[in-house]
C-alpha cells in the first residue's frame, strides 16, 4: 500500500481486472486519499468509470506522472519487461508454490547472456516467511 501511495498511477491488465475486480486503493490509515488513478492495459476492453485505458505498454506516455506501478498479472508484467519500460522490480515471494508456479513468458531477452548485467539486486529481506526482493534496472 505504501508503493501505491507513492505512485502517480497504478496499472493492471484485462485478465486481472476480470478475475479480481481490484480496487487498487490505498488502505493505510491517513493515506486513503493517496490512492492513485487506475489504468487498464487492454487493446479492446472498455473499463468502467474511474479508469483510463491504454492499448499497449508503449502508450504509457498518455498516463500522467512519472511513477507507474504495474501491479497486475504475468502477461502484463512480461509486456512491460519486453518493452524495456521497467526500472524497478519489486518481487514478493512466498515459501511455497501453488499450481504451475510463476512464469512470465517472453520478456524480450533472446538468451541468458542478454540478461546478465541488466538488473542489480538493491534489497532483499524476509517479511515473516515471505521474501521481498527489489531489483533496479542497470542503464548505460
Amino acid at each position: 500500500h505504501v508503493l501505491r501511495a507513492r505512485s502517480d498511477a497504478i496499472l493492471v491488465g484485462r485478465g486481472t481486472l476480470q478475475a479480481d475486480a481490484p480496487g487498487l486503493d490505498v488502505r493505510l490509515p491517513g493515506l486513503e486519499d493517496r490512492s492513485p488513478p487506475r489504468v487498464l492495459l487492454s487493446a479492446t476492453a472498455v473499463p468502467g468509470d474511474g479508469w483510463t485505458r491504454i492499448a499497449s505498454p508503449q502508450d504509457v506516455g498518455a498516463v500522467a506522472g512519472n511513477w507507474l506501478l504495474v501491479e497486475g498479472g504475468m502477461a502484463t508484467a512480461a509486456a512491460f519487461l519486453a518493452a524495456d519500460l521497467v526500472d524497478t522490480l519489486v518481487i514478493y515471494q512466498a515459501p511455497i508454490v501453488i499450481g504451475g508456479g510463476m512464469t512470465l513468458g517472453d520478456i524480450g531477452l533472446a538468451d541468458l547472456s542478454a540478461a546478465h548485467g541488466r538488473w542489480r539486486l538493491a534489497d532483499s529481506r524476509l517479511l515473516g516467511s515471505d521474501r521481498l526482493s527489489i531489483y533496479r534496472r542497470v542503464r548505460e
Side-chain angles (χ1 to χ4, degrees), residues 85-96:
L85 293 171
V86 178
D87 293 318
T88 305
L89 294 170
V90 179
I91 301 169
Y92 294 93
Q93 186 176 15
I96 60 171

Side-chain angles (χ1 to χ4, degrees), residues 58 75 77-85 104-115 118-119 137:
Q58 291 77 8
F80 275 84
L81 285 164
D84 199 22
L85 293 171
L104 286 176
D106 183 9
I107 59 171
L109 297 174
D111 55 44
L112 186 58
S113 65
R118 191 175 186 130
W119 296 95
R137 177 73 164 94

Side-chain angles (χ1 to χ4, degrees), residues 46-58:
V46 178
D49 290 338
W51 287 82
T52 299
R53 182 183 64 85
I54 61 173
S56 74
Q58 291 77 8

Side-chain angles (χ1 to χ4, degrees), residues 3-132:
L3 286 175
R4 288 179 179 177
R6 291 180 179 166
S7 300
D8 296 317
I10 186 168
L11 179 141
V12 296
R14 186 187 72 224
T16 297
L17 180 64
Q18 290 174 338
D20 299 336
L24 304 176
D25 55 342
V26 176
R27 294 185 296 270
L28 293 174
L31 294 177
E32 297 90 350
D33 64 333
R34 290 285 304 140
S35 294
R38 299 173 299 172
V39 181
L40 174 65
L41 175 66
S42 174
T44 58
V46 178
D49 290 338
W51 287 82
T52 299
R53 182 183 64 85
I54 61 173
S56 74
Q58 291 77 8
D59 297 332
V60 74
V63 177
N66 295 317
W67 183 259
L68 174 66
L69 178 60
V70 177
E71 193 172 297
M74 291 181 290
T76 299
F80 275 84
L81 285 164
D84 199 22
L85 293 171
V86 178
D87 293 318
T88 305
L89 294 170
V90 179
I91 301 169
Y92 294 93
Q93 186 176 15
I96 60 171
V97 176
I98 298 174
M102 185 176 92
T103 179
L104 286 176
D106 183 9
I107 59 171
L109 297 174
D111 55 44
L112 186 58
S113 65
H116 290 287
R118 191 175 186 130
W119 296 95
R120 183 183 71 249
L121 181 63
D123 192 9
S124 182
R125 63 181 74 173
L126 286 175
L127 302 172
S129 62
D130 296 340
R131 173 154 306 275
L132 166 65

